[in-house]
Amino acid sequence: ETILYIQNVSKSYPNGVKALQNISLTIPAGMYGLLGPNGAGKSSLMRTLATLQDPDEGSIFFGKIDVLKDKEEVQKTLGYLPQDFGLHPNARAEELLNYFAVMKGIREKQARREVVEALLKQTNLWDVRKQKLGGFSGGMRQRFGVAIAMLGNPKLIIVDEPTAGLDPAERVRFLNLLSEMGENSVVILSTHIVEDVSELCTRMAVINKGQILMETEPLKAIKNL
Ligand code: ADP
Ligand code: ADP
């Protein structure tokens, strides 16, 4: 069952910042927007969903999987694109994607070749597969990030502020790609850009100061802004 249940999740940091305060959300398959300004708690929630950080309280279930307990189970079906991911500038796209595919457990050579080729084509990076990542534009880097995140056909896809720094054309291209590739998965996209959620998300939540202010369909929210 491809539904994410977040219940009463709270998190404070040792410095006293209450980054998440009693967050509850039910997120179905499709693209879901988490909209909020800088410091709202988006990355804190995304890291929690990606099993990288434990909340102080609350529960999270992906279908029947207890995300906070069965971390290995979640990781098998998780694609996570963090906000700032560093990639070695001298690595070449195809080579690196091959490497990540091995890490994901796709060990059989022919299967791996097919998966890597399909992902490079879907993300429109096939023609530059032999090039070094250091020469990639922001948009190319983010699309490459999606290719990595999509390895192993994840059903839970967490993408943290992926459009920050992209020009408008690249932004739209990136969102379309994400929406196509994540069609049958739960895709959570965090952003501070209203247009990111209004264009392709089927549902959205607004977060500020660690609290959910509303949970709705994007069109309704934007009429009320
Ligand atoms: P967003 O992604 O919406 O910008 P964050 O989740 O990064 O929000 O941050 C929420 C709040 O928690 C901010 O006030 C931030 O400074 C604080 N914060 C985030 N990570 C840490 C941390 N590791 N230690 C202390 N405070 C943190
Ligand atoms: P965002 O752009 O999503 O707000 P940040 O820049 O807040 O992300 O976070 C970047 C890194 O710094 C994260 O690993 C976060 O945990 C850490 N961090 C953020 N705020 C603080 C803080 N006030 N004290 C300590 N670490 C922080």
Side-chain angles (χ1 to χ4, degrees):
E1 189 189 14
T2 318
I3 303 180
L4 182 70
Y5 304 95
I6 303 171
Q7 268 180 340
N8 306 108
V9 165
S10 295
K11 171 76 181 179
S12 295
Y13 290 111
N15 58 359
V17 173
K18 292 180 178 169
L20 299 174
Q21 299 187 57
N22 209 29
I23 303 275
S24 296
L25 294 170
T26 299
I27 304 183
M31 197 139 99
Y32 190 96
L34 182 68
L35 178 68
N38 231 334
K42 302 184 297 297
S43 292
S44 296
L45 185 58
M46 303 297 252
R47 285 197 297 267
T48 305
L49 299 175
T51 74
L52 298 175
Q53 169 178 306
D54 286 324
D56 303 325
E57 283 174 66
S59 69
I60 303 172
F61 279 81
F62 184 53
K64 291 191 176 106
I65 307 172
D66 186 334
V67 172
L68 301 176
K69 269 200 192 136
D70 308 326
K71 291 190 181 162
E72 281 184 26
E73 218 37 52
V74 188
Q75 284 156 12
K76 281 184 201 157
T77 192
L78 174 73
Y80 175 51
L81 183 58
Q83 191 176 0
D84 302 300
F85 60 99
L87 293 173
H88 200 284
N90 283 328
R92 293 167 203 276
E94 184 178 36
E95 200 175 76
L96 193 62
L97 196 56
N98 255 304
Y99 168 78
F100 282 117
V102 175
M103 295 292 106
K104 266 275 170 181
I106 311 172
R107 301 197 186 273
E108 204 267 309
K109 224 176 179 177
Q110 183 58 26
R112 190 164 68 238
R113 193 175 296 140
E114 284 167 17
V115 165
V116 165
E117 179 175 337
L119 282 171
L120 288 169
K121 286 182 174 166
Q122 277 176 292
T123 53
N124 206 14
L125 293 171
W126 180 250
D127 293 343
V128 295
R129 68 190 183 280
K130 307 281 184 206
Q131 290 181 20
K132 290 182 178 180
L133 299 171
F136 275 21
S137 69
M140 290 159 83
R141 281 174 51 83
Q142 290 306 77
R143 281 186 273 129
F144 188 62
V146 168
I148 297 171
M150 293 292 171
L151 280 165
N153 292 319
K155 288 285 164 208
L156 177 60
I157 298 162
I158 309 286
V159 195
D160 200 358
E161 296 246 20
T163 62
L166 300 189
D167 66 44
E170 266 293 4
R171 205 174 57 72
V172 171
R173 214 174 299 152
F174 179 88
L175 293 172
N176 277 312
L177 174 70
L178 197 59
S179 129
E180 271 166 36
M181 293 181 86
E183 212 167 29
N184 301 312
S185 306
V186 169
V187 182
I188 306 175
L189 164 81
S190 91
T191 182
H192 61 269
I193 303 170
V194 177
E195 286 79 14
D196 281 357
V197 298
S198 58
E199 279 160 17
L200 288 164
C201 292
T202 44
R203 285 198 73 82
M204 65 171 290
V206 177
I207 185 169
N208 193 28
K209 297 183 180 158
Q211 291 174 308
I212 300 296
L213 301 186
M214 69 167 133
E215 210 283 341
T216 182
E217 290 166 32
L219 281 175
K220 289 184 187 160
I222 284 145
K223 275 188 207 136
N224 291 327
L225 281 180

